[in-house]
Amino acid sequence: MSVRVLLVDDNPVVRIGLRSLLELDDRMDVCGEASSGQEAVAVASRERPDVVLLDVRMPGSGGLDVLPALTQLSRVLMLTYSDEPAVVSEALRGGATGYLVHGAFQSDELAMAIIDTAEGRPRLSPAAASVLLQGFHGGGTAVAEAPATHDRAEPTVVPEVVKQHALSRREVEICRLLVAGMSNGDIARRLFIEEKTVKNHLNRIFAKLGAANRAEAIATCLGTRRGA
């Protein structure tokens, strides 16, 4: 019997690639696609897939926003580019059975991860496994306390970096939260602003720092990135 899979990602190229890959395996049955969290809930309610492959960041309702609703309908395997500890831990707390990061697994491992997820066995990329070892156990349920990093004083951005890259006061504030490991949603809630506003700030910060991703931005803020 094949595993019925729902693909949820706002990037159509990613969905096409996943569908093409899974349709080569007769154990897989792609029963639908969605490009947003809200659409994912609607399709999952109608199709009742065995597994939802869910991206984290999408326009409107993201994966984490609708995760609790989806876990009432299906098992969920997060499949995303984000390996941020705060995002991973939130996904596990929200009920995701597994968490895979693009580029951290081979193509032939995806089908096995989906089968494991359908049967309730967690499959985790190394970054997600690291978070698991720091305070989470399998099945997507948090151990007593979530990581307390958000309650600690955020690291300070190196003053020379602030001056060299002409960061505004708000940008410095966001950089400090970024270095603390917060997701865009965490930053938005901390600063009482919209998540899309956080994304706009981060785009400008990345441009100023000459950073291609969060890891490079964090390294620059801490003064540990060579050539920055």
Side-chain angles (χ1 to χ4, degrees):
M1 184 175 179
S2 60
V3 179
R4 303 181 74 250
V5 183
L6 170 61
L7 308 178
V8 184
D9 196 295
D10 64 310
N11 188 332
V13 175
V14 172
R15 296 199 307 274
I16 291 171
L18 289 173
R19 177 180 282 275
S20 299
L21 178 63
L22 295 179
E23 287 181 342
L24 294 174
D25 192 320
D26 57 13
R27 297 171 298 177
M28 301 290 115
D29 174 18
V30 179
C31 64
E33 298 182 16
S35 60
S36 69
Q38 185 175 8
E39 184 182 5
V41 174
V43 177
S45 298
R46 183 178 70 247
E47 298 293 338
R48 295 289 172 149
D50 299 306
V51 175
V52 176
L53 290 186
L54 182 64
D55 189 20
V56 170
R57 295 188 176 89
M58 294 175 286
S61 298
L64 296 179
D65 296 323
V66 298
L67 181 57
L70 288 173
T71 56
Q72 299 301 310
L73 302 168
S74 170
R75 295 193 187 277
V76 176
L77 174 60
M78 306 303 295
L79 183 59
T80 178
Y81 287 97
S82 175
D83 61 358
E84 302 159 50
V87 175
V88 174
S89 61
E90 187 172 350
L92 296 178
R93 285 200 305 270
T97 299
Y99 195 109
L100 295 184
V101 178
H102 286 291
F105 60 90
Q106 301 297 319
S107 58
D108 58 349
E109 294 177 317
L110 180 58
M112 285 308 304
I114 292 172
I115 292 171
D116 282 346
T117 299
E119 296 177 355
R121 295 190 296 270
R123 286 296 293 263
L124 304 169
S125 289
S130 176
V131 172
L132 187 74
L133 292 173
Q134 293 174 29
F136 289 84
H137 62 75
T141 305
V143 173
E145 295 287 337
T149 53
H150 295 180
D151 294 327
R152 301 171 187 166
E154 290 83 14
T156 301
V157 180
V158 175
E160 289 78 7
V161 172
V162 177
K163 182 177 180 180
Q164 177 183 349
H165 298 282
L167 297 177
S168 69
R169 180 176 299 179
R170 175 62 96 183
E171 288 168 347
V172 171
E173 191 172 21
I174 289 176
C175 283
R176 291 173 61 223
L177 300 179
L178 181 68
V179 170
M182 291 192 182
S183 67
N184 289 6
D186 293 328
I187 295 172
R189 286 186 287 273
R190 173 66 70 88
L191 299 180
F192 301 101
I193 58 179
E194 295 292 328
E195 188 168 349
K196 64 180 180 181
T197 303
V198 175
K199 291 180 180 179
N200 290 337
H201 279 301
L202 286 175
N203 286 337
R204 287 193 290 271
I205 290 169
F206 287 5
K208 285 186 176 183
L209 300 181
N213 50 49
R214 297 173 88 92
E216 288 187 3
I218 290 171
T220 301
C221 289
L222 294 176
T224 60
R225 181 181 166 208
R226 295 181 179 179

